[in-house]
Amino acid sequence: MAGLMAALVLTGTLYSALSPAHATEEAIQSESSAEAAGRELYERSCITCHGENLEGVPTRGPSLIGAGEAAVYFQVHTGRMPLVRQEAQAPDKPAIFNDEEIDQLMAYIQANGGGPTLPSGDLRDGDLAEGGELFRLNCAQCHNFVGEGGALSSGKRAPSLEDANDLEIYSAMLSGPENMPIFGDNQLTPEEKRSIINYIQTVKEQADPGGAGIGRIGPVAEGVVIWVVGVAALLFGIFWMGSKA
Amino acid sequence: MSAPHTTPGSTGGSETPGPLHGGPDEEYTPERLATMTREELDLLGARYDGVQVLHVDPAPEPGSRVEKAAVRQVAMTFALAGLSAFAAFVVYAGSGWFLPDWQWDITEGGWSALFTPLIGGLGGLALTLVGVGMVLFTKKLLPHETAVQDKHDGSHFDRVTTGASLMGGLNTYGLARRKLITRSLVFMGGGVGLMLLMPLGGLIRNPNVGNPLGTTSWTEGMRLLRGDGSPIRPGDQQPGSLETVFPAVPGGNLESDAATMLIRLRPEQVSLERPREGQDDFGYGDYVAYSKICTHAGCPVSLYEQETSRILCPCHQSQFDVTQGAKPVFGPATRPLPQLPITVDDEGFFVARSDYIEAVGPTYWNRERI
Amino acid sequence: MARTATAPGVPTTPLGKAALEIDDRLIVAGPLRRTLNKVFPDHWSFLLGEIALYSFVILLLSGTYLTFYYDAAMTEVVYEGTYAPMRGLEMTAAYESTLKLSFDVRGGLFIRQLHHWAALLFVAAIVVHLLRIFFTGAFRRPRETNWLIGVALLVLSFAMGFTGYSLPDDLLSGTGLRIVSAIILSIPVVGTWVHWAVFDGDYVGEEILGRMYIVHVLIVPAILLGLIAVHLLMLVKQKHTQFPGPGRTEHNVVGNRLFPAFAVKAGGLFFIVFGVCAALGGLVQINPVWLWGPYNPAQVSAASQPDWYVMFLDGSTRLFPAWDINLPGNYTIPALFWPTVVLPGIIFTLLAAYPVIERKLTRDEASHHLLQRPRDVPVRTSLGMMALAFYIVLMFSGGNDVIAEKFDISLNAMTWAGRIGLVIVPPIVYLLTYRICLGLQKHDREVLEHGLETGVIRRLPHGEFIEVHQPLGPVDEHGHGQLAYGGAPVPKRMNQVGGARRAIRGFFSPIEEPARVELEQRRDEHGLSAAESRELTTSGRPSDGGRPQEPRD
């Protein structure tokens, strides 16, 4: 994994070093320092698959024009990007870049490609019950009732929301990463998005009143428990009862 | 008690038992039984029930260390059960009194999340220990006897005599001879049987009045509404998005067959799009609308993978391709999701051009005929 | 009775007097003595059915409590209860009453969970009990009728389970109900008519919850109670089967009398079953309907499954190919019909008819009260394992999306693995089981012929090493045992034939004197002599392998 990563990074660096100058002098001069730092990071780690002008590389990576900082935040903060290898779906993993670097990347992509921007303020400032209703209508079909995640076709999956923070959920709705549909602000208003986040995070954090939650995935786990715990305990019991003292 | 039937009103039955009264009472007179020990009587009764006690592993000797240890063990188990049961009761009754409130509060995990596990865990422990104590008691402190009980086959005598009684009795009815009665009985049986089943007729209703399975609330010019009742403009959705929409009728968002997916395709999908025959103009621009109700078993399909253009049903994993007229490409579904013809009204909101042109939801016997 | 109450037999104690008063009126002494003296076989597997019976008792008790709060109405109400994430939402009164029961009734959630766990256990215990009956041949004549009743009980318990978990009207159960609606519609010719009768019109209507409620709390429980009563009465009438062994014949039952020992043990088992259900009910959360949300036909969740016992039907539905049959006249037999109506129909018909099928194939018309060891009937055992493998593939397919998600396998690959597995796994299991049965049979006979392996290696004068075998009985001139296989377990280790003294009792420190145990064991070696008169040394059954037999008796 680490080796592959190194190879990718190296390829990116070589590529950027050997490629001809790709932006005009004026553009570079008008960049803020954050954007410049972001450009450097981009040219080191992203350019192989997304191209020198964010236009994407066929069969490797999509165009980032219009992706905006929301997509960058989601993809990089959840560790999905930079990609280690091409597979059915980018797996989440510990983030490669720190928060400052992510900010720089976001600034660069936003300045050059445009697209949805990140929200500010309290992302849980919404109605809990309404958020639940919207979650069940728009999200639960893939992410399960309580965000445990679920399987999609051919090895793809809707990830568990167990470790997702508010901003990741928000930016995922805005940018529609990979197979997830996009929920633009005219479809789910910012208030509605905040309601949904409030619901997910509240339910995730609330204790289970009825004892161990066994994954909160319903009948499959319950079936396992009744056989492995219930029936097994009772079989042991009657075996003990039947044995001679 | 021992007085014969001499009280007024008595019919005065015989004071001595008849000749058929017998059994062990004849052989074992009260006097004889009185001389037998309790153990002998037990075995005598058992033998009379076809049971013989073959072998007894005696209980531990009274006063022995084995007995004392076993008694201690059993008593300890019952005492623990009692303790656990009292503790469960204290949790149950004390919560909200001298213990924190049991009522579930979203903002705190604390006691309310422990209440049910505590009463269940303690109660379950108490009950299990009661059972364990009882089993320990039998295993360790009771003699273990091996008894054998005889099985009896049916008796030929019983069969023949019962048969004779039955057939004799039936013969006196004379129904084989009295044909008129038999026939009237058959006729009556049919009539009365039908009459008794008659009330169930209220359950039978004709499903083919109108076309309830083949139609929904969608009509020409009806707006597509979100779950919260707001209408939708073509600019509201991003390419690669899906919105569940409902017909603009009261309770439309709870109707079981009207839920529709309004999908805005990405440009790459539009270039691949191959609508079903005759349905080329059902979409509007890069928007298409398909029924959300699976054609297999009626679950709401809506696991939309916008990159692969697939819609997956979470119940049985049928997969539909939205660029191919929502044709099924995997799993048990046989038919494409019906497409709702849509357009935009004067005010720029999405409306349906008509109802679905075919029945939505699962297939049924005469679906193709209506 | 009045006649016997003369001087010598007159009871003197208050208890005796009270007993006489009762018996003088009801004449119960005779039947009561017969009941107390009934002999129960002393083998753990005979308690499996009791687990099912006791879970049913627990279900009746807890279910009655639940009816005090549950409301089967489908009217829409606005929730204003304790559970904050639902406050202000529209839902049916049924769902609201379930939330109220869970959050606003002291201990209500515990009873609800206890009820649900007991239900899962009820069906599981029935299945395990059924497997024991099947693999030991306890269904053979004269017990075919009781087998039929048992299968009916199993089917009814499914009906109980389905109607029960549909009652809360949450998003998960509503999805299940929707599928049942589709299944009913898929029945050829009469499907829509049946649907209109059951749902009082199109899905979902306003009647279905109320109807399922009365089916769940009155109609099916009443039938279950009646059938359980008949099941037990027939058991008492026909008496228990038993495994072959010393002194056990086709005409007796060896074991414990109901009273005093067995009754206490059985009572203990009731409390243990109750305790396990209660502990699960408190410690493990089941069907958290507040997380699922109220039912809405437009909503669904990933990983929507039925309870475990219906999961095999969900699996068959997932695996069955997309094969609608179009008939002339534009009639259609939907693909859904085959895996959800025809398949369970075939499965349960085969199950119910199995005793008759086996009787026809083996031409064994005799009455049997002695059980068979599964290894001695390899064909039946292999058939059973094959059916079980078929069932398990279907059950796993019913949760294939969860398996795919948890173990990172492609969902489409899981579906294909299920389809292929359904065809090739059962035959493989049949062959494997058959070989294992034969191997076990062979080993039994080898031990009988050559004796037990003692682990003692001896070197013969000419240098050959041999292992010393301990014969189990008298041997002929070649050193071969002369014992015939009697259908009972054959000892396989020296300890099982008294090769070692039993362990001294006492957990932390010994509570017995080793010398006394030694003496006791020596005495025990002659201990059975008192009962020898009842042919304790011979088995009740000649060796009859597992092959179809000629009728005996």
Side-chain angles (χ1 to χ4, degrees):
Chain A
M1 197 102 148
L4 259 172
M5 177 72 84
L8 258 177
V9 171
L10 187 70
T11 323
T13 321
L14 278 177
Y15 187 89
S16 63
L18 297 174
S19 62
H22 48 269
T24 61
E25 288 295 313
E26 294 94 310
I28 291 173
Q29 272 159 10
S30 68
E31 270 179 351
S32 68
S33 60
E35 285 164 29
R39 172 193 299 279
E40 204 169 296
L41 289 169
Y42 180 85
E43 288 174 355
R44 187 144 47 84
S45 303
C46 320
I47 201 165
T48 323
C49 302
H50 295 293
E52 54 181 320
N53 293 316
L54 312 187
E55 77 280 18
V57 177
T59 75
R60 279 202 221 150
S63 162
L64 298 185
I65 293 163
E69 60 178 23
V72 177
Y73 177 81
F74 177 83
Q75 296 288 356
V76 182
H77 197 262
T78 61
R80 284 179 166 77
M81 291 291 144
L83 200 59
V84 175
R85 60 172 171 272
Q86 299 281 357
E87 51 190 318
Q89 180 172 347
D92 51 341
K93 52 186 184 291
I96 307 279
F97 297 110
N98 62 31
D99 286 354
E100 194 193 343
E101 290 169 327
I102 294 173
D103 284 342
Q104 293 164 347
L105 262 180
M106 291 196 305
Y108 172 69
I109 304 281
Q110 189 67 35
N112 290 282
T117 55
L118 286 181
S120 56
D122 182 6
L123 295 186
R124 302 191 191 183
D125 182 23
D127 185 79
L128 194 55
E130 188 203 354
E133 193 67 6
L134 287 168
F135 182 81
R136 286 187 289 276
L137 186 61
N138 293 300
C139 322
Q141 62 265 44
C142 300
H143 291 284
N144 169 280
F145 297 110
V146 284
E148 289 293 333
L152 296 175
S153 72
S154 306
K156 294 182 285 293
R157 53 160 72 186
S160 162
L161 306 179
E162 195 59 45
D163 301 319
N165 69 25
D166 297 354
L167 201 52
E168 283 169 4
I169 299 174
Y170 199 108
S171 57
M173 287 193 269
L174 266 185
S175 64
E178 303 202 45
N179 272 305
M180 176 165 163
I182 299 165
F183 295 90
D185 278 345
N186 289 329
Q187 184 178 349
L188 281 177
T189 64
E191 293 72 44
E192 288 173 333
K193 289 197 178 76
R194 284 165 210 253
S195 300
I196 290 178
I197 292 172
N198 188 15
Y199 179 78
I200 299 173
Q201 304 292 31
T202 304
V203 167
K204 219 163 77 178
E205 285 160 17
Q206 84 187 22
D208 287 311
I214 50 172
R216 293 179 170 182
I217 51 167
V220 173
E222 290 157 12
V224 171
V225 169
I226 196 61
W227 281 97
V228 175
V229 179
V231 175
L234 288 169
L235 282 181
F236 175 80
I238 58 175
F239 209 75
W240 168 68
M241 288 171 65
S243 69
K244 300 266 193 302
Chain B
M1 211 179 305
S2 55
H5 301 280
T6 52
T7 45
S10 160
T11 50
S14 168
E15 288 173 27
T16 50
L20 293 177
H21 187 90
D25 280 357
E26 297 299 318
E27 201 176 331
Y28 293 95
T29 58
E31 290 76 16
R32 187 165 171 206
L33 290 176
T35 62
M36 294 171 74
T37 65
R38 189 183 278 166
E39 196 184 11
E40 284 168 343
L41 287 169
D42 173 42
L43 293 179
L44 172 66
R47 213 179 70 214
Y48 196 62
D49 294 332
V51 175
Q52 188 182 354
V53 177
L54 292 183
H55 173 69
V56 180
D57 281 329
E61 264 173 57
S64 66
R65 285 188 73 186
V66 176
E67 194 205 24
K68 279 181 191 154
V71 167
R72 261 201 309 276
Q73 208 178 1
V74 171
M76 183 68 83
T77 313
F78 284 140
L80 272 178
L83 197 69
S84 193
F86 275 116
F89 178 76
V90 167
V91 172
Y92 182 83
S95 293
W97 176 20
F98 53 85
L99 292 170
D101 199 6
W102 63 272
Q103 272 212 318
W104 180 242
D105 185 350
I106 189 78
T107 55
E108 55 144 322
W111 187 256
S112 63
L114 284 177
F115 177 73
T116 300
L118 274 177
I119 54 173
L122 289 168
L125 181 67
L127 291 165
T128 309
L129 285 176
V130 170
V132 169
M134 289 168 76
V135 176
L136 276 178
F137 178 73
T138 31
K139 277 173 71 109
K140 302 221 162 178
L141 287 169
L142 292 188
H144 186 88
E145 67 174 32
T146 305
V148 58
Q149 182 166 28
D150 285 326
K151 280 195 181 91
H152 299 288
D153 294 330
S155 133
H156 181 70
F157 173 81
D158 286 348
R159 288 171 190 161
V160 172
T161 48
T162 310
S165 301
L166 271 178
M167 295 320 291
L170 285 177
N171 204 33
T172 59
Y173 294 173
L175 292 182
R177 236 168 357 95
R178 298 160 184 159
K179 286 276 189 281
L180 195 57
I181 294 188
T182 324
R183 283 176 200 144
S184 66
L185 275 178
V186 169
F187 179 73
M188 175 207 77
V192 172
L194 265 182
M195 186 191 73
L196 292 177
L197 289 175
M198 184 173 65
L200 288 178
L203 287 174
I204 298 171
R205 296 181 50 197
N206 189 347
N208 300 322
V209 177
N211 184 11
L213 282 168
T215 53
T216 69
S217 303
W218 293 105
T219 54
E220 187 184 347
M222 183 172 284
R223 279 197 177 152
L224 278 55
L225 301 185
R226 295 195 181 91
D228 63 2
S230 57
I232 302 159
R233 292 175 190 279
D236 286 352
Q237 279 178 233
Q238 301 285 328
S241 66
L242 176 150
E243 170 95 86
T244 304
V245 295
F246 304 95
V249 291
N253 63 338
L254 289 176
E255 282 184 8
S256 60
D257 52 3
T260 300
M261 296 176 291
L262 181 62
I263 296 167
R264 183 167 182 194
L265 300 172
R266 289 178 297 113
E268 305 91 89
Q269 290 174 303
V270 175
S271 60
L272 288 174
E273 207 198 342
R274 292 206 5 244
R276 285 164 71 190
E277 214 180 300
Q279 304 191 359
D280 296 300
D281 57 345
F282 275 26
Y284 179 84
D286 49 1
Y287 278 91
V288 285
Y290 290 106
S291 166
K292 196 176 186 179
I293 310 302
C294 187
T295 56
H296 176 234
C299 291
V301 288
S302 52
L303 285 74
Y304 177 45
E305 305 174 1
Q306 56 123 335
E307 281 189 340
T308 59
S309 307
R310 286 190 178 194
I311 291 180
L312 175 73
C313 176
C315 291
H316 306 108
Q317 284 113 33
S318 299
Q319 292 162 22
F320 305 88
D321 190 332
V322 286
T323 62
Q324 309 297 313
K327 213 171 62 186
V329 288
F330 187 83
T334 50
R335 289 181 298 111
L337 298 168
Q339 187 170 7
L340 184 70
I342 52 170
T343 185
V344 166
D345 67 8
D346 304 340
E347 294 174 59
F349 292 112
F350 276 119
V351 291
R353 280 169 45 203
S354 73
D355 193 0
Y356 286 101
I357 58 164
E358 57 187 320
V360 303
T363 314
Y364 50 91
W365 174 247
N366 53 355
R367 180 183 174 280
E368 302 292 329
R369 290 173 61 91
I370 302 179
Chain C
M1 291 313 276
R3 202 173 58 82
T4 60
T6 48
V10 170
T12 49
T13 59
L15 201 63
K17 282 178 184 156
L20 180 61
E21 291 291 325
I22 293 170
D23 190 61
D24 207 33
R25 288 166 176 78
L26 302 175
I27 320 178
V28 291
L32 180 62
R33 193 198 59 223
R34 274 192 285 286
T35 311
L36 296 179
N37 278 330
K38 178 172 166 46
V39 169
F40 287 78
D42 194 12
H43 190 271
W44 62 271
S45 69
F46 287 82
L47 297 173
L48 292 168
E50 284 187 34
I51 296 180
L53 177 67
Y54 298 148
S55 348
F56 183 68
V57 174
I58 296 163
L59 283 170
L60 287 183
L61 294 174
S62 55
T64 308
Y65 179 89
L66 296 180
T67 62
F68 296 158
Y69 297 98
Y70 177 72
D71 175 9
M74 296 177 84
T75 41
E76 292 284 322
V77 295
V78 176
Y79 182 69
E80 295 296 347
T82 307
Y83 186 65
M86 292 285 163
R87 233 173 266 156
L89 285 191
E90 267 193 48
M91 53 184 65
T92 56
Y95 184 70
E96 193 214 18
S97 69
T98 313
L99 286 183
K100 183 179 164 214
L101 173 69
S102 304
F103 290 110
D104 298 293
V105 175
R106 186 184 291 254
L109 177 61
F110 166 62
I111 304 284
R112 225 197 88 219
Q113 299 199 135
L114 166 70
H115 189 74
H116 203 138
W117 280 118
L120 295 195
L121 179 65
F122 179 52
V123 190
I126 291 179
V127 170
V128 180
H129 174 58
L130 178 141
L131 292 178
R132 203 282 285 170
I133 301 295
F134 179 86
F135 284 116
T136 59
F139 55 82
R140 292 173 298 167
R141 184 191 176 101
R143 293 180 178 77
E144 305 98 320
T145 320
N146 233 9
W147 168 267
L148 268 181
I149 293 175
V151 173
L153 286 171
L154 177 66
V155 174
L156 285 172
S157 73
F158 278 41
M160 275 308 261
F162 176 76
T163 51
Y165 73 64
S166 293
L167 290 181
D169 200 27
D170 56 281
L171 189 45
L172 184 60
S173 73
T175 305
L177 192 59
R178 175 87 210 208
I179 297 173
V180 167
S181 148
I183 291 171
I184 294 175
L185 280 180
S186 79
I187 303 170
V189 188
V190 294
T192 50
W193 288 85
V194 176
H195 190 284
W196 253 244
V198 172
F199 285 81
D200 195 38
D202 199 356
Y203 183 82
V204 58
E206 281 163 6
E207 305 285 345
I208 188 65
L209 278 190
R211 288 181 181 177
M212 284 198 303
Y213 187 45
I214 210 67
V215 167
H216 182 73
V217 302
L218 180 72
I219 300 178
V220 182
I223 301 174
L224 270 177
L225 259 180
L227 284 182
I228 289 176
V230 178
H231 201 60
L232 295 181
L233 277 176
M234 285 180 75
L235 167 83
V236 171
K237 194 77 200 160
Q238 298 180 328
K239 298 210 168 64
H240 277 86
T241 54
Q242 60 185 345
F243 284 101
R248 296 171 182 181
T249 70
E250 292 281 6
H251 300 286
N252 69 11
V253 192
V254 177
N256 297 323
R257 284 190 287 167
L258 175 67
F259 194 78
F262 190 82
V264 185
K265 246 188 194 180
L269 180 59
F270 170 74
F271 282 103
I272 292 175
V273 173
F274 203 168
V276 168
C277 288
L280 282 173
L283 296 173
V284 189
Q285 183 164 287
I286 187 166
N287 199 22
V289 290
W290 58 93
L291 295 177
W292 304 161
Y295 178 57
N296 179 326
Q299 298 173 0
V300 74
S301 165
S304 287
Q305 265 100 10
D307 276 352
W308 76 263
Y309 42 85
V310 188
M311 219 173 269
F312 79 104
L313 288 182
D314 206 36
S316 65
T317 313
R318 289 172 183 206
L319 298 187
F320 194 79
W323 291 340
D324 274 356
I325 297 178
N326 294 308
L327 300 175
N330 271 338
Y331 290 112
T332 315
I333 302 177
L336 188 60
F337 177 64
W338 305 105
T340 56
V341 182
V342 176
L343 179 84
I346 292 175
I347 289 179
F348 286 114
T349 307
L350 279 179
L351 191 66
Y354 186 79
V356 181
I357 296 172
E358 188 182 293
R359 211 171 55 197
K360 287 273 178 281
L361 290 182
T362 60
R363 299 207 196 91
D364 178 5
E365 304 273 351
S367 279
H368 295 282
H369 300 284
L370 282 173
L371 298 174
Q372 290 166 308
R373 301 177 81 199
R375 68 186 63 175
D376 294 335
V377 206
V379 172
R380 181 202 296 143
T381 306
S382 309
L383 279 176
M385 291 302 289
M386 185 170 91
L388 204 57
F390 185 80
Y391 175 87
I392 287 173
V393 171
L394 287 182
M395 188 165 73
F396 274 84
S397 296
N400 63 3
D401 52 340
V402 175
I403 297 172
E405 207 267 324
K406 296 290 169 203
F407 297 99
D408 211 359
I409 305 168
S410 161
L411 186 58
N412 298 29
M414 281 299 295
T415 305
W416 274 108
R419 285 174 178 172
I420 297 167
L422 201 58
V423 178
I424 63 168
V425 172
I428 293 176
V429 169
Y430 182 95
L431 289 175
L432 275 180
T433 313
Y434 199 90
R435 296 316 305 177
I436 292 172
C437 285
L438 293 190
L440 288 170
Q441 275 186 23
K442 219 171 163 185
H443 191 236
D444 280 345
R445 279 153 184 78
E446 195 177 290
V447 170
L448 288 172
E449 193 175 347
H450 294 117
L452 290 167
E453 296 172 358
T454 59
V456 176
I457 308 291
R458 183 185 290 165
R459 190 176 180 197
L460 297 184
H462 56 276
E464 185 193 351
F465 287 96
I466 58 154
E467 184 179 5
V468 178
H469 282 72
Q470 165 69 49
L472 291 173
V475 294
D476 61 15
E477 62 272 27
H478 303 295
H480 288 161
Q482 291 165 318
L483 290 174
Y485 179 67
V490 174
K492 295 289 177 68
R493 280 189 314 251
M494 286 299 288
N495 282 8
Q496 291 166 324
V497 291
R501 177 172 48 69
R502 73 165 167 83
I504 307 290
R505 291 199 181 105
F507 196 76
F508 292 111
S509 59
I511 53 171
E512 288 179 314
E513 287 168 36
R516 278 183 65 106
V517 176
E518 197 78 48
L519 280 173
E520 188 189 309
Q521 290 230 297
R522 254 183 240 158
R523 193 191 65 213
D524 272 2
E525 275 169 15
H526 313 285
L528 285 181
S529 57
E532 296 283 321
S533 56
R534 287 194 73 113
E535 47 172 335
L536 266 181
T537 50
T538 59
S539 150
R541 220 157 61 93
S543 158
D544 54 14
R547 291 160 291 281
Q549 313 156 9
E550 289 299 292
R552 293 184 289 107
D553 293 6

